[in-house]
Amino acid sequence: MKYYAHIAILACLLPCTCTAYELIGTATLSETLVAQHYTINPLLDAVIVVDRTIPSFEYQTFYCAGFADEDEGEQGRLHFLEHIMIDRGSYEPGELKQIIADNGGQSHAATYHHFTRFTLRFPKDKFDLAVEIDRNIYYNTIIDEEVVEKEKKIVLTERSQRLTRPERRSENYFYGFIYGKKNFNGIGAETFIQQLEPVGLKNYYENFLREQKRLIVIIGDVDIDHVLTKLDEAYGNDIAPVKVYAPQSPDRDVLGKRLKRSSNNLNFTIFRKGWYIPNLGHRDYAGLLIVERLLEKPSNSLRASLVDSRLAKSFSVSVRSYKGFGLMTCYAELPHNTSRNTIQDMIHVALANLKSISDAELNAARNQKLNTLYSAFYNRSSMATSFGGAFAHAGDPLLYPKLIQDLKSIRPEDIPPIIDQYLKDDNSFTHSLTEIEQKQPSARKPRTFGHYAGIVSVLVGWLTLLGGIVALFVWKIKKSQRKTWTTSPAFQKVMLNEKIFNPDI
Amino acid sequence: MKRFLILIFSFILLGPLSAFAEIPNHHIFYRTDKRAPLTRTEIVFLGAGTGADSPSQIGLAQTVRKLIWKTAKKQGHIDQLEALGTHLTLTTSETYQAISIYGLSENSGKAIEIVRDLIYNLAFSEYDLKYVKSQLSADYKNEIKRPTYTLIKNLALSQTLGVTKTRSLKTLNDLSLQDIGQYADRLLKTDVVFFKVLSDRDSSEIANLLRPLTEERKMRGQTGGFVHSLNLPSTNAKVGPTAFIFEGYSHLKNVFCRWMIPCGRTGEENYIPNMISDTLGRSPESRLLYKYFRGELKLVYGTSSRYLSEQNARYIEIYADPQLHNSEELITKMFDFIQNLPDNPRFWETLKEERETNDISFVHARTPQQRLNRAVSRAIYKSPRRKGGSDAVTDDEVRAFLEKFFVPQNMIMIFLGPKDRITEILNTHLPKVDIRVHNVKELIE
């Protein structure tokens, strides 16, 4: 009986003492760094990497919604909210920044295509404060008239500053085609920003942004148990149901198309060619990273031949993941006299050549990519963003370190099928931003005998006409003089005399 | 061998040299970072930077840098390094020329041998020189097609403080293969070559890896090359108030404003200008420029303050980016803000906060790479250090500094945006400012 009583007491206490978080994966990054992935509640995951190199920590929170997830004509709301949240939370104006500064911290926020990121950076003993601020921003951000009007001025200044850059405009056109949005712009249109009001923004904050899945990434000099305890206290009891938002699918209708726009004040043509590729997590993604490197290495590559021959001012290739899909993009800045078809042809040739890649070439490209991936371990902020991107785009933050293993397993024979499957014209689209063409006066044609004969005939015609007019004029004058004479008394007298003596008149 | 062992042992026992010492030849500045299996090694040729270019040879150090890269590509060194997962980077600063290799630690030894082969087999042809000159010439022309603060600041400082221009198409075109040969010869014989290394490998292993390079240098002799000197030309001049405005930016919707406050010379103590700059705008959190111009007046998106130097000139740079319709208010208020700083109670409040949080906020700048950079910078510039550091600086000293330098006569302004509007604003509100309108082509003439 006593035994059962103990079990009953334990059963009563258990819900109060047990924690909600759960370890769901680990990944070894390097000799000293290990990433641990936890769920804190159904809407919140966390990745923790202990790094004691310096006595501070990076705390980044990712909300899985970005400006590409916003509806056409309503882009810019998330970016606007991001400004308000990091500036204010529920504190008095300026107070949050002051608290962060007083505690030796730093803060930053940014909105990407598919996630919104808030960064806090503090000395190691300020972890509790970081959680408190993060919680405050998540639950209690005040969105009132005062803060909205203030942020409008700042966001409009940011907007006007950015859009003067042609690279930015070209990027917006390019992604507009991918997402099927006519006016793709993460900051939003000026008129849209002007009309934002607190009620709508508050609604968006509560019923859209806060319903997104979140990931908190903590990298630094922290104690894992303490981190988990604090996250559990802050968020462990939040059991809001998960709402599933359909991922943005890229527009397939643009495939095979070559689009062009014109703009003023362009010193060069901006050329972008994109291919849809699988997302992070697919093994081919690592193979495509190898292709990327081979196309843009400093010598014996497409980039080297384009830049060295001055067909392009600059050329780069990128492989990136987005929500539910991936994209490989060639970007070039071309002098106005370089034909875009030439670039297309050179890309075809370069890709065809890569199908006969040697072991040595593959190893070199792999080593370079590993160098790039390892380099991020020196930079907590970029490492955290890689975890956040993998979570927002593919649902698993540990797909980012898994990429290292995938890269190590790629062989030369994997590359030709990857090129054949993804990097073909009917799976690509091209966008160019060129200078507005000035209408030139048509070139003068060389004159023939017929031209000269025509000119002479016209001239003769004109002279004849002129002669006729002059003759007519003279005749008219003479006629008028005659008329004057015939009506004069002298004429009447003569006439009378002539009539009398000349009966023919 | 004996000297080499002494070098290794002194390096292991003593660690990096103190900031006050001259940098000995082949010294290794080293920091360990075990977070990634990577090694970054910089081979620094001290004294071989753009500062050594004579006025008739502006661009010489840059041209040689490009030629070394071209040689590396032509002779296959780039491909060899690529295969090892190593990036080769060449940089030219005012004080040095540096060759940097950054890649997988397991291949560091091989990479260093490749670089040794590269630098001791440099061969430049007339054709290569012609190619590099045309490439640099195209780069210069491209640079001025976009807002290029580096060149614009250089022009403003050359016209007010007499620093040397860093770009000149004329001197670039005049460079001969003989000039290049002489430079390359002096580069290899540079008096002091030192190493800057960040690695997951231990220091003795690094010293061993660098041995092929140091031995080669010893074997070939090291006299008659570049010698490091901080005796840069004097740059003490009356500067202002002067405003530089450029033609060709009428399409901009914002006015990009920079105020430069010259404050002494390189090699002087840095505590006070650093403290003022941090108080005005280190990171955005609550610093004065952000609080006042963005938080309260809502005139800007970005604002910052930095303490910088160019050649022998040091200056504090203040940046702001108002929209065109806010530029009038921003320009006039910033002018007043700067000149009234000594009497601005908010400056002193923020300085107090800055003093209180300086130690804890500095923690973010203590990565191994940042520590390494600071150690090298201190050793090169040998700025005096004060007992007690910035804590020993009094408010009276800060006030005296502000009263001396934060005055209209010491303001150099740069405005990028619609020329006529900016001129109108300055003529209306700041009639004493000397307005100088330039064409961007002058930046590279």
Side-chain angles (χ1 to χ4, degrees), chain A residues 2-17:
Chain A
K2 198 177 168 186
Y3 178 69
Y4 288 113
H6 279 145
I7 290 176
I9 291 166
L10 271 175
C12 291
L13 287 175
L14 209 55
C16 309
T17 54

Side-chain angles (χ1 to χ4, degrees), chain B residues 334-368:
Chain B
M334 186 65 87
F335 192 89
D336 289 343
F337 174 84
I338 292 171
Q339 65 174 334
N340 295 325
L341 215 47
D343 302 320
N344 185 341
R346 297 180 69 181
F347 172 81
W348 298 104
E349 274 167 34
T350 317
L351 177 67
K352 190 167 171 258
E353 287 166 13
E354 170 63 24
R355 282 179 184 278
E356 285 164 3
T357 58
N358 189 38
D359 282 349
I360 50 168
S361 54
F362 189 60
V363 71
H364 306 296
R366 285 183 189 163
T367 65

Side-chain angles (χ1 to χ4, degrees), chain A residues 103-347:
Chain A
N103 287 281
Q106 296 171 353
S107 66
H108 182 257
T111 310
Y112 295 77
H113 282 224
H114 298 294
F115 60 85
T116 305
R117 184 196 71 183
F118 296 87
T119 301
L120 296 167
R121 203 170 286 137
F122 277 108
K124 67 175 193 177
D125 58 337
K126 305 289 178 189
F127 188 77
D128 297 2
L129 176 65
V131 177
E132 189 187 316
I133 293 170
D134 182 54
R135 197 175 188 283
N136 184 287
I137 289 173
Y138 177 66
Y139 284 114
N140 303 321
T141 293
I142 294 172
I143 303 167
D144 58 20
E145 195 72 36
E146 185 196 347
V147 73
V148 170
E149 290 310 309
K150 180 204 149 191
E151 273 324 315
K152 276 183 190 175
K153 289 180 183 168
I154 291 164
V155 170
L156 287 171
T157 307
E158 180 187 4
R159 184 185 181 280
S160 69
Q161 185 207 87
R162 292 207 177 162
L163 287 182
T164 45
R165 291 168 56 201
E167 298 89 335
R168 177 72 68 157
R169 292 204 302 275
S170 153
E171 191 180 315
N172 284 345
Y173 296 141
F174 184 73
Y175 284 105
F177 287 119
I178 293 174
Y179 293 108
K181 292 183 170 77
K182 278 184 187 165
N183 296 304
F184 188 85
N185 181 356
I187 300 185
E190 189 173 343
T191 46
F192 181 73
I193 296 167
Q194 293 282 18
Q195 59 82 47
L196 287 171
E197 37 76 39
V199 177
L201 282 165
K202 200 169 166 51
N203 184 40
Y204 202 60
Y205 165 71
E206 285 172 356
N207 300 317
F208 176 71
L209 189 61
R210 278 184 39 200
E211 288 181 351
Q212 302 296 325
K213 282 207 80 171
R214 284 189 307 147
L215 175 76
I216 294 173
V217 181
I218 293 140
I219 303 174
D221 194 351
V222 292
D223 174 74
I224 290 188
D225 289 338
H226 183 70
V227 167
L228 289 168
T229 306
K230 295 312 288 184
L231 291 180
D232 192 49
E233 281 170 16
Y235 300 110
N237 294 324
D238 195 337
I239 46 164
V242 179
K243 279 193 185 173
V244 180
Y245 289 87
Q248 283 277 329
S249 5
D251 188 351
R252 296 264 158 199
D253 290 343
V254 294
L255 291 177
K257 288 190 179 164
R258 294 181 180 188
L259 305 148
K260 191 181 105 173
R261 285 191 78 144
S262 302
S263 175
N264 277 322
N265 287 317
L266 270 185
N267 296 313
F268 44 80
T269 294
I270 297 176
F271 170 92
R272 279 190 162 90
K273 184 178 179 74
W275 294 266
Y276 287 140
I277 58 170
N279 201 1
L280 184 70
H282 193 292
R283 187 171 171 273
D284 287 348
Y285 191 87
L288 285 152
L289 284 175
I290 298 280
V291 174
E292 174 206 73
R293 180 64 199 173
L294 290 166
L295 288 174
E296 66 162 11
K297 61 185 184 153
S299 68
N300 298 319
S301 67
L302 174 61
R303 177 200 188 181
S305 54
L306 282 168
V307 175
D308 291 351
S309 63
R310 296 186 197 161
L311 281 167
K313 288 169 188 282
S314 70
F315 180 81
S316 59
V317 188
S318 65
V319 168
R320 300 228 171 96
S321 74
Y322 297 86
K323 196 181 276 182
F325 71 103
L327 198 64
M328 176 161 145
T329 313
C330 288
Y331 172 88
E333 292 176 358
L334 310 175
H336 292 311
N337 58 359
T338 299
S339 146
R340 295 184 296 281
N341 286 339
T342 308
I343 303 299
Q344 299 264 18
D345 292 344
M346 289 182 73
I347 291 173

Side-chain angles (χ1 to χ4, degrees), chain A residues 27-129:
Chain A
T28 301
L29 307 175
S30 68
E31 198 183 316
T32 58
L33 303 177
V34 176
Q36 300 194 345
H37 178 199
Y38 294 86
T39 51
I40 305 296
N41 71 39
L43 271 179
L44 177 66
D45 283 20
V47 167
I48 305 166
V49 180
V50 176
D51 168 16
R52 303 201 193 281
T53 315
I54 54 173
S56 64
F57 63 89
E58 180 92 8
Y59 185 118
Q60 291 192 1
T61 305
F62 298 85
Y63 292 70
C64 291
F67 52 78
D69 301 311
E70 295 183 284
D71 291 336
E72 170 88 63
E74 296 192 354
Q75 278 187 303
R77 224 172 350 203
L78 273 178
H79 173 256
F80 200 91
L81 272 178
E82 167 241 291
H83 268 244
I84 294 177
M85 290 162 78
I86 196 70
D87 240 25
R88 180 81 189 263
S90 71
Y91 300 90
E92 290 302 310
E95 192 187 354
L96 178 55
K97 294 280 180 201
Q98 190 66 49
I99 291 170
I100 293 170
D102 289 348
N103 287 281
Q106 296 171 353
S107 66
H108 182 257
T111 310
Y112 295 77
H113 282 224
H114 298 294
F115 60 85
T116 305
R117 184 196 71 183
F118 296 87
T119 301
L120 296 167
R121 203 170 286 137
F122 277 108
K124 67 175 193 177
D125 58 337
K126 305 289 178 189
F127 188 77
D128 297 2
L129 176 65

